[in-house]
């Protein structure tokens, strides 16, 4: 950049518009092209400027008025400054102003800078009387003046000027004295002009002499021409003109033809230049389409339609037809791209607006909405088919592996496929609805519709959304609520998978809530989530049921604990563990609801009823396991002749190899412990997790366990008590079964001691397992023994002598003393029946002898009796 221009002097310093002004200064431009601006008093004078040098410029002033700066602008230095000012003024020449040259009254030609000076018609001459007309109102309308002076005029410059018209128009209110004074003024002015003729001629001598010279020259030229050509020169002039024309035609025919061609070419080029936009538009459209600058295409097409839409020029029409064809191809292209999925919403919206701008016939936005809905449906089906095929491939590969590897990897792989399916379907639904729903809302708001949307389309859109959500629901039910892959999946992996799938469903549900969808499609997804939560609860309970049913295979008959209800194995603890794990998994995974989700386990609701039903199945399955363990046995043979042999074959308490009768007693102890302790703990677990208490399931289980305990007791009595009772009668008949009348009876026969020893053996066996609960089994056996003794006493003949009667009474009394702590009312009645058939003791001596023998028996059998009567607390 060079230094800015500076104006330091001008000549002249003032003048009317069109004054030739010489501008001097510094840095006024390096060339003609470097001068790009010139303003005089704010008027642009660049068109009249002539650049002379870097220090001088000549220009004509514009229609400026007043003082102002001269500002020069150059390409090299920019806008300059001025140290001097030019004053412009407007000069008007009227018909009464003296002038040395002729002044045309018509409008003068345009000035060189394209502007016209003040028109003479707008000039108002001063009043010739020298009077002010300001404030005078014309009392005579123009129509009346025309009637008074039909051939006159009130303008001073007109040939038919009428003074009366002028005075009526301008001085109707002027007083007579003023008019007389005006007359004097006019006379003095005329006289002064007459007196000043000589001075005027002196001031304009040059102009007058020039005019005289021109007149003399014109006269001489006229006389010379008359001598040469005569008084009638026109015929010869015409002949000369015609000759010159023919000669010119012969000389310049070829040149003129070339000129015509050049003129035509010039006109064509001018036409191309003027309509360059139209002729270049087809190529421009192709170029912008390749660049994907569709907005430029639409703007150019709209512009050309506005400019040439109604043209009658065939060439223009031909070009417009070609442009229309390209635009139609573009419409089809945009329409195809708008429908081709996948496509983001912004790009699709852009295509919709372009189609509307191009006046595409149809509802582009609705087509886009329909396309997105169809794409969503097809995408859901593709996701389903893809993961179904992948799952089949997983199962096929599983069949080719080894059994153990397949079991460990196959289930996880199948569940992995299902989990990926759920995640992909949820993501697809949320993403596509996140694009479809805002697009539809903008459409119904009128932002994307060329025409108002039809009312029916609101219902159509709702059906679209519902159809898509229902398809998603159907697929998710097929994916998550069916299949058997979860049967072999580890519990922790199953819990992780259920939580992940539920998270995917809830994320999709939250996205739909953010879109502010109608309640009906939201309720469909919510129902899927709710059903999946119920399914998860059922899965955990079914797994617990399966594990409980397999408890029989895990029973080792190893005593884990001695409780108040006897020795128990690990079965009650495993039942409680399985239930707690199932309830904990349900609480962590599916119990708690998400946003807008209903509570799962509401008292009286269907899921709570299903929970209670499954819990009942689990607990009753446990009862069935105990029953099978207790009653299904292989070693049912007892040593019916000598029970002590069976007792000698007992296994140590910590051993896992036990006899059937020990397993029977352990099963009974497990049943009692479960009924009294485990079920209470399970009920507390339900309360701790906030679940409805399964009262009916617990009550049914207690009843089933009580029945099982009774069955176990009856079975044990059948297989243990009956052989014991069966030995009584043979033992009575063996050895000394006859009593001599002369022999003094001082002790019971051996069968009594055998019965006592057998009862002690049974008590020891039951007590080793059942503890305090063993009294039930001993009482039942004692009751059976007493019943058998009463039956034998009833069938035996009466004692033949007093000694035999004393013997029988002594034996029954000793048995009663030995079993006193285990005798029930029914057993007492049986012994009383047996004693009722024996004659009573008659003498005091016999009574004392009986008491003495009984006391001796107690002292002699103190250890045995203590063993038989220990642990007699009531359970």
């Amino acid at each position: 950049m060079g230094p800015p221009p500076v104006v330091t002097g001008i000549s002249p310093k003032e003048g009317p518009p069109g004054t030739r002004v010489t501008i001097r200064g510094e840095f006024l431009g390096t060339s003609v092209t470097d001068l790009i601006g010139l303003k005089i008093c704010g008027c642009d004078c660049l068109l009249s400027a002539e650049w002379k040098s870097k220090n001088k410029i000549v220009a004509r002033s514009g229609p400026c008025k007043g003082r102002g700066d001269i500002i020069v602008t150059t390409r090299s230095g920019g806008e300059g400054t001025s140290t001097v000012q030019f004053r412009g003024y407007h000069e008007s020449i009227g018909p009464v102003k003296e002038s040395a040259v002729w002044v045309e009254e018509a409008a003068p030609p345009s000035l060189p800078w394209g502007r016209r000076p003040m028109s003479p018609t707008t000039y108002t001459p001063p009043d010739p009387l020298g009077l002010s007309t300001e404030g005078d109102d014309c009392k005579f309308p123009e129509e009346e003046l025309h009637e008074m002076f039909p051939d006159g005029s009130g303008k001073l410059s007109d040939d038919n000027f009428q003074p009366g018209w002028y005075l009526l128009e301008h001085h109707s209110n002027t007083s007579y004295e003023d008019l007389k004074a005006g007359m004097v003024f006019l006379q003095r002015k005329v006289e002064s002009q007459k007196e000043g003729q000589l001075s005027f001629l002196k001031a304009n001598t040059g102009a007058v002499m020039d005019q005289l010279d021109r007149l003399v020259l014109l006269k001489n030229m006229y006389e010379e021409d008359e001598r040469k050509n005569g008084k009638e020169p026109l015929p010869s002039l015409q002949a000369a003109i015609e000759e010159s024309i023919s000669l010119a035609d012969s000389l310049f025919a070829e040149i003129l033809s070339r000129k015509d061609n050049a003129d035509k070419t010039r006109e064509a080029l001018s036409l191309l230049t003027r309509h360059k936009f139209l002729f270049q538009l087809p190529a421009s459209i192709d170029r912008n389409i390749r660049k994907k600058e569709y907005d430029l295409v639409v703007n150019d097409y709209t512009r050309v339609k506005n400019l040439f839409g109604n043209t009658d020029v065939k060439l223009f029409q031909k070009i417009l037809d070609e442009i229309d064809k390209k635009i139609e191809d573009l419409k089809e292209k945009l329409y195809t791209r708008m429908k081709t999925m996948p496509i983001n919403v912004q790009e699709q919206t852009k295509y919709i607006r372009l189609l509307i701008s191009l006046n595409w016939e149809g509802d582009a936005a609705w087509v886009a909405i329909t396309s997105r809905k169809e794409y969503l449906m097809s995408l859901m089906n593709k996701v389903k088919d893809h993961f179904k095929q992948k799952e089949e491939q997983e199962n096929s590969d599983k069949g080719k592996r080894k059994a153990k590897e397949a079991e460990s990897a196959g289930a996880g792989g199948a569940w992995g496929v299902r989990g990926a399916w759920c995640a992909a379907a949820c993501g697809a639904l949320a993403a596509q609805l996140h694009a479809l729903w805002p697009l539809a809302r903008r459409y119904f708001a009128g932002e994307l519709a060329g025409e108002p949307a039809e009312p029916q389309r609101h219902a159509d859109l709702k059906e679209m959304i519902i159809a898509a959500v229902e398809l998603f629901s159907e697929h998710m039910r097929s994916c998550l609520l069916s299949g058997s892959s979860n049967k072999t999946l580890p519990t922790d992996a199953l819990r992780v998978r259920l939580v992940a799938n539920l998270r995917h469903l809830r994320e999709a549900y939250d996205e739909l809530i953010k879109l502010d969808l109608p309640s009906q499609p939201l309720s469909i997804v919510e129902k899927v989530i709710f059903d999946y939560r119920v399914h998860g609860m059922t899965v955990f309970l079914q797994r617990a049921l399966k594990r409980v049913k397999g408890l029989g295979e895990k029973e080792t008959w190893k005593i884990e604990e001695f409780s108040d209800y006897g020795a128990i194995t690990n079965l009650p603890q495993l039942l409680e563990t399985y239930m707690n794990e199932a309830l904990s998994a349900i609480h962590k995974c599916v119990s708690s609801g998400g946003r807008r989700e209903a509570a799962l386990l509401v008292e009286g609701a269907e899921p709570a009823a299903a929970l209670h039903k499954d819990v009942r199945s689990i607990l009753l399955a446990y009862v069935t396991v105990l029953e099978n363990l207790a009653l299904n046995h292989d070693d049912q043979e007892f040593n019916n002749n000598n029970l002590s042999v069976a007792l000698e074959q007992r296994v140590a308490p910590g051993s896992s190899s036990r006899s059937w009768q020990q397993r029977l007693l352990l099963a009974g102890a497990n049943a009692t412990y479960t009924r009294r302790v485990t079920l209470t703990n399970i009920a507390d677990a339900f309360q701790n997790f906030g679940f409805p208490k399964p009262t009916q399931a617990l009550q049914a289980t207690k009843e089933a366990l009580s029945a099982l305990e009774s069955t176990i007791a009856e079975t044990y009595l059948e297989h243990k008590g009956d052989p014991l009772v069966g030995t009584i009668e043979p033992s009575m008949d063996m050895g000394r079964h006859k009593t001599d009348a002369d022999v003094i009876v001082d002790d019971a026969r051996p069968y009594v001691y055998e019965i006592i020893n057998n009862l002690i053996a049974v008590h020891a066996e039951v007590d080793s397992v059942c503890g305090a609960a063993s009294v039930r089994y001993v009482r039942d056996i004692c009751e059976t023994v007493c019943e058998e003794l009463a039956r034998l006493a009833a069938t035996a003949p009466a004692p033949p002598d007093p000694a035999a009667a004393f013997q029988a009474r002594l034996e029954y009394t000793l048995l009663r003393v030995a079993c006193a702590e285990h005798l029930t009312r029914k057993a007492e009645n049986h012994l009383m029946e047996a004693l009722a058939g024996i004659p009573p003791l008659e003498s005091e001596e016999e009574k004392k002898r009986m008491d003495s023998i009984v006391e001796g028996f107690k002292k002699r059998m103190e250890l045995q009796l203590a063993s038989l009567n220990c642990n007699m607390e009531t359970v």
Side-chain angles (χ1 to χ4, degrees):
M1 290 289 290
V6 178
V7 177
T8 58
I10 57 172
S11 179
K13 294 185 178 181
E14 61 181 7
T19 303
R20 183 179 175 87
V21 182
T22 301
I23 304 170
R24 298 185 181 276
E26 298 178 352
F27 314 115
L28 300 182
T30 59
S31 64
V32 176
T33 58
D34 191 39
L35 180 63
I36 60 173
L38 175 61
K39 291 185 178 181
I40 300 177
C41 295
C43 296
D44 189 358
C45 303
L46 180 63
L47 293 177
S48 64
E50 299 179 12
W51 183 85
K52 301 296 184 179
S53 68
K54 62 180 181 180
N55 300 111
K56 180 180 178 181
I57 297 175
V58 177
R60 289 188 179 273
S61 64
C64 57
K65 192 173 183 180
R67 290 188 176 276
D69 294 332
I70 295 89
I71 305 299
V72 179
T73 304
T74 61
R75 197 182 305 274
S76 59
E79 185 174 321
T81 57
S82 175
T83 60
V84 294
Q85 289 186 330
F86 178 82
R87 185 179 74 87
Y89 59 87
H90 291 180
E91 183 179 17
S92 299
I93 300 177
V96 296
K97 183 178 178 65
E98 297 178 356
S99 176
V101 296
W102 180 258
V103 178
E104 294 287 348
E105 295 184 4
S110 300
L111 293 176
W113 52 88
R115 294 177 174 83
R116 298 174 63 88
M118 181 181 297
S119 174
T121 58
T122 62
Y123 171 73
T124 302
D127 187 63
L129 300 179
L131 300 176
S132 174
T133 61
E134 185 178 359
D136 291 342
D137 297 329
C138 181
K139 296 182 179 179
F140 294 91
E142 190 175 355
E143 292 80 3
E144 295 183 9
L145 292 174
H146 279 292
E147 292 178 359
M148 294 172 65
F149 307 98
D151 297 328
S153 174
K155 296 182 180 180
L156 296 175
S157 59
D158 291 346
D159 295 336
N160 55 350
F161 171 73
Q162 292 291 335
W165 185 320
Y166 181 84
L167 292 175
L168 289 174
E169 183 179 5
H170 297 284
H171 296 284
S172 60
N173 293 331
T174 305
S175 64
Y176 179 72
E177 296 297 330
D178 290 339
L179 290 175
K180 287 173 65 177
M183 184 63 184
V184 173
F185 172 78
L186 181 60
Q187 290 175 350
R188 187 170 56 251
K189 186 175 181 181
V190 172
E191 291 296 330
S192 65
Q193 289 182 353
K194 291 180 179 180
E195 293 175 358
Q197 291 294 328
L198 182 61
S199 60
F200 175 77
L201 290 174
K202 289 180 179 180
N204 296 279
T205 301
V208 172
M209 293 302 293
D210 185 58
Q211 293 169 7
L212 291 175
D213 291 341
R214 291 290 180 182
L215 290 173
V216 171
L217 179 61
L218 183 61
K219 176 178 178 297
N220 293 335
M221 290 176 64
Y222 178 76
E223 292 176 351
E224 182 68 22
D225 183 79
E226 186 177 359
R227 284 196 303 269
K228 288 181 179 180
N229 300 316
K231 293 184 179 181
E232 296 294 335
L234 293 179
S236 60
L237 180 62
Q238 181 178 1
I241 292 174
E242 291 177 354
E243 183 181 359
S244 65
I245 290 175
S246 61
L247 180 61
D249 289 341
S250 63
L251 292 176
F252 298 102
E254 184 179 355
I255 296 175
L256 291 175
S257 64
R258 290 200 300 268
K259 179 180 179 298
D260 292 338
N261 294 333
D263 291 340
K264 292 180 181 179
T265 304
R266 191 178 299 107
E267 290 178 0
L269 292 176
S270 177
L271 180 66
L272 289 173
T273 302
R274 289 198 306 271
H275 304 292
K276 180 180 178 181
F277 168 71
L278 174 63
F279 294 115
Q280 292 183 350
L281 185 57
S284 176
I285 289 176
D286 292 337
R287 182 172 60 256
N288 290 330
I289 289 176
R290 286 194 299 271
K291 294 180 180 180
K292 296 184 179 181
E293 295 179 353
Y294 303 115
D295 292 333
L296 295 179
V297 177
V298 173
N299 292 336
D300 293 343
Y301 181 69
T302 304
R303 179 182 172 191
V304 78
K305 279 295 185 181
N306 292 334
L307 294 176
F308 303 99
N310 299 323
T311 183
D312 295 330
V313 181
K314 292 184 178 181
L315 178 60
F316 292 172
Q317 292 177 351
K318 183 178 179 180
I319 297 175
L320 289 175
D321 292 340
E322 182 181 355
I323 292 173
D324 289 338
K325 183 178 179 181
K326 291 182 179 295
I327 293 298
E328 289 299 325
D329 295 339
L330 176 61
K331 288 181 184 179
E332 293 298 326
K333 186 176 182 180
L334 294 176
Y335 177 71
T336 303
R337 289 190 178 182
M338 182 190 68
K339 290 185 62 177
T340 303
M341 298 291 172
I343 182 174
N344 58 57
V345 180
Q346 291 76 14
E347 189 172 0
Q348 194 175 35
T349 303
K350 176 182 177 181
Y351 292 150
I352 293 171
R353 293 188 183 279
L354 290 173
L355 288 173
I356 294 175
S357 300
L358 294 175
N359 297 324
W360 183 73
E361 296 181 359
D363 198 341
W366 184 251
V367 173
I369 292 171
T370 307
S371 301
R372 281 208 170 271
K373 178 258 181 181
E374 293 174 354
Y375 175 69
L376 174 57
M377 304 292 279
S378 63
L379 182 61
M380 298 294 294
N381 291 325
K382 286 180 181 179
V383 169
K384 176 184 177 181
D385 296 338
H386 171 73
F387 286 103
K388 279 288 186 181
Q389 184 179 1
K390 192 172 182 180
E391 186 175 10
E392 291 175 359
Q393 184 178 358
E394 290 278 351
N395 294 333
S396 177
D397 295 340
K398 171 184 173 181
K400 296 177 182 179
R401 299 191 195 104
K402 295 181 180 179
K404 185 176 181 179
E405 294 177 353
E407 183 176 357
S408 61
W415 258 106
V417 172
R418 294 287 180 95
W421 180 5
C422 175
C426 292
L429 178 69
Q432 293 304 317
L433 285 183
H434 200 275
L436 174 61
W437 184 248
L439 185 66
R441 295 185 67 176
R442 295 179 64 185
Y443 168 72
F444 287 110
E447 299 178 15
L448 301 177
E451 299 177 356
E454 299 178 4
Q456 178 61 28
R457 287 184 174 170
H458 288 275
D460 295 340
L461 176 65
K462 185 176 181 181
E463 291 179 0
M464 289 182 187
I465 300 296
I466 292 175
V469 175
E470 285 181 346
L471 182 62
F472 168 76
S473 172
E474 178 184 347
H475 287 184
M476 288 300 95
R477 291 180 187 279
S478 175
C479 170
L480 303 176
L481 305 183
S482 64
S484 57
S485 301
N486 56 347
K487 293 182 179 180
T488 55
L489 196 66
T491 303
D492 294 339
L494 174 63
R495 183 167 57 250
V496 172
R497 179 61 59 195
L498 287 173
V499 172
N501 293 341
L502 190 59
R503 184 181 69 253
H504 294 318
L505 290 173
R506 283 173 173 167
E507 289 175 353
Y509 184 58
D510 289 340
E511 291 296 327
L512 300 186
I513 292 176
K514 292 178 183 178
L515 291 176
D516 195 19
L517 288 176
S519 59
Q520 190 170 355
L522 291 178
S523 63
I524 295 174
V525 180
E526 183 181 358
K527 185 65 167 58
V528 173
I529 296 175
F530 187 80
D531 292 345
Y532 184 64
R533 293 168 62 194
V534 175
H535 169 73
M537 178 189 71
T538 305
V539 167
F540 287 119
L541 293 176
Q542 291 297 326
R543 289 174 67 85
L545 176 61
K546 180 181 177 182
R547 297 173 73 182
V548 168
K549 288 182 178 180
L551 284 177
E553 300 175 358
K554 294 186 177 182
E555 179 59 273
T556 60
W557 299 110
K558 181 179 180 181
I559 297 176
E560 300 292 339
E561 179 185 357
F562 282 92
S563 67
D564 295 338
Y565 309 101
I568 59 173
T569 62
N570 63 344
L571 291 187
Q573 185 61 36
L574 288 177
L575 172 65
E576 185 176 349
T577 301
Y578 293 162
M579 286 300 303
N580 284 333
E581 289 180 356
L583 295 178
S584 176
I586 292 172
H587 181 266
K588 292 179 180 179
C589 297
V590 298
S591 176
S592 58
R595 185 179 179 186
R596 293 191 184 181
E597 294 180 25
L600 181 64
L601 297 175
V602 179
E603 187 70 37
E606 184 177 350
L611 172 66
H612 294 170
K613 180 180 178 181
D614 291 338
V615 170
R616 177 189 179 99
S617 300
I618 294 172
L619 296 179
L620 294 180
Y622 174 78
V623 176
T624 303
V625 169
L626 284 181
E627 184 178 1
N628 293 334
L629 290 173
L631 304 180
N632 295 338
H633 51 83
D634 297 328
D635 52 342
Q636 297 185 14
E637 298 298 328
F638 283 77
N639 189 343
N640 295 333
N641 296 325
N642 189 0
L643 292 178
S644 61
V645 176
L647 295 176
E648 291 175 359
Q649 295 176 352
R650 291 172 56 195
V651 184
S655 175
S656 60
S657 176
R658 297 186 180 276
S659 63
W660 175 77
Q661 58 268 28
Q662 290 177 323
R663 297 200 299 269
L664 185 66
L665 294 174
L666 282 174
N670 285 338
T672 304
Y673 183 83
T674 302
R675 179 170 58 86
R676 296 293 184 89
V677 178
T678 305
L679 293 182
T680 302
N681 294 340
I682 291 174
D684 294 339
F686 271 84
Q687 184 176 0
N688 294 335
F689 286 115
F691 298 160
K693 185 177 179 181
T695 306
Q696 296 181 356
L698 294 175
Q699 184 61 34
T701 306
K702 288 181 180 180
E703 294 174 358
L705 288 173
S706 297
L708 177 60
E709 293 173 25
S710 300
T711 303
I712 290 175
E714 293 174 359
T715 303
Y716 187 82
L717 179 63
E718 178 183 354
H719 292 277
K720 197 74 171 180
D722 290 351
L724 186 149
V725 172
T727 61
I728 295 177
E729 186 174 1
S731 297
M732 280 185 177
D733 297 337
M734 288 176 62
R736 296 177 297 162
H737 59 280
K738 294 182 180 180
T739 303
D740 295 336
D742 298 335
V743 176
I744 298 174
V745 178
D746 57 357
D747 198 0
R749 287 178 290 180
Y751 83 90
V752 175
Y753 292 97
E754 184 179 7
I755 291 174
I756 295 174
N757 289 333
N758 287 335
L759 290 176
I760 292 173
V762 170
H763 183 272
E765 182 181 53
V766 176
D767 183 68
S768 64
V769 176
C770 300
S774 61
V775 64
R776 174 179 183 176
Y777 298 93
V778 178
R779 284 176 178 175
D780 291 343
I781 293 178
C782 288
E783 185 176 319
T784 305
V785 169
C786 293
E787 183 179 2
E788 178 64 17
L789 291 176
R791 185 187 67 80
L792 294 176
T795 58
D801 49 45
F806 185 84
Q807 181 74 41
R809 180 174 291 278
L810 175 62
E811 292 171 353
Y812 290 148
T813 301
L814 293 180
L815 286 173
R816 182 177 182 183
V817 170
C819 301
E821 299 295 335
H822 300 283
L823 295 179
T824 63
R825 183 178 297 277
K826 188 175 180 181
E828 288 279 359
N829 293 334
H830 288 314
L831 287 179
M832 294 302 294
E833 292 176 2
L835 290 173
I838 302 173
L841 298 178
E842 297 179 353
S843 62
E844 290 295 330
E845 182 180 356
E846 290 179 349
K847 293 180 180 179
K848 289 181 180 181
R849 187 158 56 90
M850 177 69 72
D851 294 337
S852 175
I853 296 172
V854 171
E855 291 297 327
F857 173 80
K858 289 181 180 180
K859 291 181 180 180
R860 188 173 64 253
M861 299 289 292
E862 182 178 3
L863 180 60
Q864 288 81 353
L865 295 179
S867 299
L868 182 61
N869 295 319
C870 67
N871 265 346
M872 293 308 298
E873 294 83 358
T874 303
V875 294

